[in-house]
Amino acid sequence: MVWVPLRTTRTDRWAPLRSPSTRRTTMSLEWLMDWSWSLDGLRDFIATGIQSFRDCDATALATVACLLVLFIWYCYHVGREQPRASYPTVNALMQGAEANGVQNGYVYCHSPECVRCAHHDGLNQKLYHNLQEYAKRYSWSGMGRIHKGIREQGRYLNSRPSIQKPEVFFLPDLPTMPYFSRDAQKHDVELLERNFQTILCEFETLYKAFSNCSLPQGWKMNSTPSGEWFTFYLVNQGMCVPRNCRRCPRTYRLLGSLRTCIGNNVFGNACISVLSPGTVIAEHYGPTNIRIRCHLGLKTPSNCELVVGGEPQCWAEGRCLLFDDSFLHTAFHEGPPEEGPRVVFMVDLWHPNVAAAERQALDFIFAPGR
């Protein structure tokens, strides 16, 4: 018979120095491993645990009890903090805003004639039909970008970053920037600035009608969070307003001299825009990125700003400011009442990177009333 010496582990060597409670815990772990959680082993394990608990120091028990009480109090405190009823959720605010015709802080008129407000079902199919009709009459040459834009319009509009979201039509592969330099449409900018006094004179004649309390004929009041915003349209979504044009004949004739003015589709506008002191225009997006919006400053009091894509700019009298209104933008007049309103002449020009063939096709596709 061969005698094999017992291996003395480190645990066995230090076992005599351990406390009774520690030895019982070690024994219980060994029982669990050897008996594979048998019923007898589980019973002995519980009995050993109870005995170990009895042998614990009173200070340790008090500490554990305090921690347990603190944990229960914390769970109760967190659980009872429910959202306060006086603060509506974001979803509730958005649903309420849409029910009242407000999207992105901008009040919508829901007019069937408004290109921004009339969201027709099947718009993409309608645009594609218009493009096919144009190609049959003229040519598919140069229509690749427009075809691509119409075919994937839903993806483009949904995937755009929140800083730029045109609401009706997005033409892909156009340079993107909130503001444009004066050289982008140099001829038209210089022509407008040379005729600054002519436009200003016709505005001042119109503005005399504001001496009474009612809104003068031809003027439109727009919705704003505060203050008053009036517009006098010569061209409204591609449609001439004859009565207003007769009251500003020289300004209207000037539009015919502009090379890049959008006058034949629903994205083209020309108007005098007036902000009274204390007015804020809610942030909103324009309908498309194929245009540049031009503001010629007529009256520019202090503390008036235009903010496009988070970048602020100030108007200057007799100078043009060009920007892409498909970016999120707002305007405000915080100047003193004695300085009077902020007044600009606004006209929509073609984006410089929209080719001549594309302009012709877009005029056909987005013709007023089509």
Side-chain angles (χ1 to χ4, degrees):
M1 180 180 297
V2 179
W3 293 93
V4 178
L6 293 175
R7 179 178 299 172
T8 302
T9 63
R10 183 174 181 176
T11 303
D12 295 334
R13 291 198 304 268
W14 290 97
L17 300 180
R18 291 185 175 178
S19 63
S21 61
T22 306
R23 289 200 301 272
R24 291 190 184 96
T25 303
T26 303
M27 291 175 61
S28 64
L29 293 174
E30 293 174 353
W31 290 341
L32 288 175
M33 294 173 63
D34 294 341
W35 294 349
S36 302
W37 291 93
S38 66
L39 183 60
D40 292 340
L42 182 61
R43 181 192 59 203
D44 293 341
F45 174 76
I46 294 173
T48 303
I50 293 174
Q51 185 61 38
S52 299
F53 183 77
R54 289 175 179 174
D55 293 341
C56 284
D57 183 73
T59 303
L61 288 176
T63 302
V64 172
C66 289
L67 292 174
L68 182 61
V69 170
L70 288 173
F71 177 72
I72 294 173
W73 174 85
Y74 173 78
C75 293
Y76 170 76
H77 181 71
V78 172
R80 70 190 294 267
E81 286 188 348
Q82 300 296 330
R84 298 180 181 179
S86 58
Y87 295 95
T89 63
V90 173
N91 289 335
L93 286 173
M94 292 300 295
Q95 292 171 0
E98 291 175 359
N100 293 321
V102 180
Q103 300 175 15
N104 302 319
Y106 188 80
V107 179
Y108 285 70
C109 64
H110 298 293
S111 169
E113 291 80 24
C114 181
V115 65
R116 177 190 283 117
C117 303
H119 297 286
H120 302 288
D121 294 332
L123 176 62
N124 288 356
Q125 289 80 359
K126 180 180 178 180
L127 296 181
Y128 190 72
H129 172 77
N130 292 345
L131 175 60
Q132 285 183 314
E133 186 178 347
Y134 173 83
K136 289 177 182 178
R137 293 189 184 185
Y138 303 100
S139 171
W140 278 104
S141 178
M143 297 299 103
R145 190 159 55 174
I146 297 178
H147 180 263
K148 177 183 177 182
I150 293 176
R151 188 180 66 247
E152 304 184 38
Q153 195 62 204
R155 181 176 68 84
Y156 283 129
L157 295 181
N158 293 330
S159 63
R160 295 299 303 165
S162 60
I163 194 174
Q164 184 195 26
K165 279 187 175 293
E167 297 183 328
V168 179
F169 179 72
F170 177 79
L171 186 64
D173 304 324
L174 285 182
T176 297
M177 62 191 77
Y179 293 97
F180 284 79
S181 69
R182 294 162 46 82
D183 292 336
Q185 298 296 3
K186 185 176 181 180
H187 174 273
D188 290 350
V189 165
E190 292 179 349
L191 183 60
L192 287 168
E193 292 180 350
R194 284 199 304 268
N195 288 272
F196 160 69
Q197 289 295 339
T198 298
I199 302 172
L200 177 62
C201 181
E202 290 194 331
F203 158 71
E204 289 176 339
T205 301
L206 288 173
Y207 199 66
K208 291 177 182 178
F210 275 90
S211 57
N212 55 27
C213 297
S214 61
L215 186 66
Q217 190 176 39
W219 288 88
K220 176 185 176 182
M221 178 178 287
N222 303 281
S223 300
T224 56
S226 62
E228 295 176 329
W229 174 24
F230 304 98
T231 47
F232 188 85
Y233 279 92
L234 304 182
V235 178
N236 187 9
Q237 296 189 3
M239 298 289 291
C240 175
V241 184
R243 179 177 296 178
N244 289 359
C245 293
R246 285 194 294 267
R247 298 175 65 184
C248 299
R250 291 179 294 176
T251 302
Y252 176 65
R253 284 196 298 269
L254 177 64
L255 294 177
S257 301
L258 300 176
R259 294 177 179 174
T260 61
C261 176
I262 301 178
N264 299 316
N265 70 55
V266 295
F267 300 128
N269 302 273
C271 72
I272 296 173
S273 175
V274 178
L275 294 186
S276 63
T279 300
V280 175
I281 299 177
E283 289 185 324
H284 62 285
Y285 303 96
T288 184
N289 66 327
I290 66 172
R291 72 187 187 190
I292 295 178
R293 179 148 284 184
C294 175
H295 282 184
L296 172 66
L298 300 182
K299 290 184 177 293
T300 57
S302 60
N303 295 322
C304 294
E305 277 190 349
L306 172 69
V307 182
V308 182
E311 299 181 22
Q313 291 281 353
C314 295
W315 297 276
E317 293 184 3
R319 302 283 287 179
C320 287
L321 183 61
L322 306 179
F323 65 98
D324 184 344
D325 74 324
S326 66
F327 282 79
L328 187 65
H329 63 284
T330 181
F332 58 87
H333 178 1
E334 295 180 344
E338 58 270 18
E339 292 190 12
R342 182 239 60 178
V343 185
V344 298
F345 179 63
M346 185 195 80
V347 59
D348 290 323
L349 309 176
W350 283 103
H351 190 293
N353 292 89
V354 178
E358 292 176 318
R359 296 178 187 180
Q360 181 177 327
L362 291 169
D363 279 345
F364 182 90
I365 295 169
F366 290 101
R370 179 174 291 278

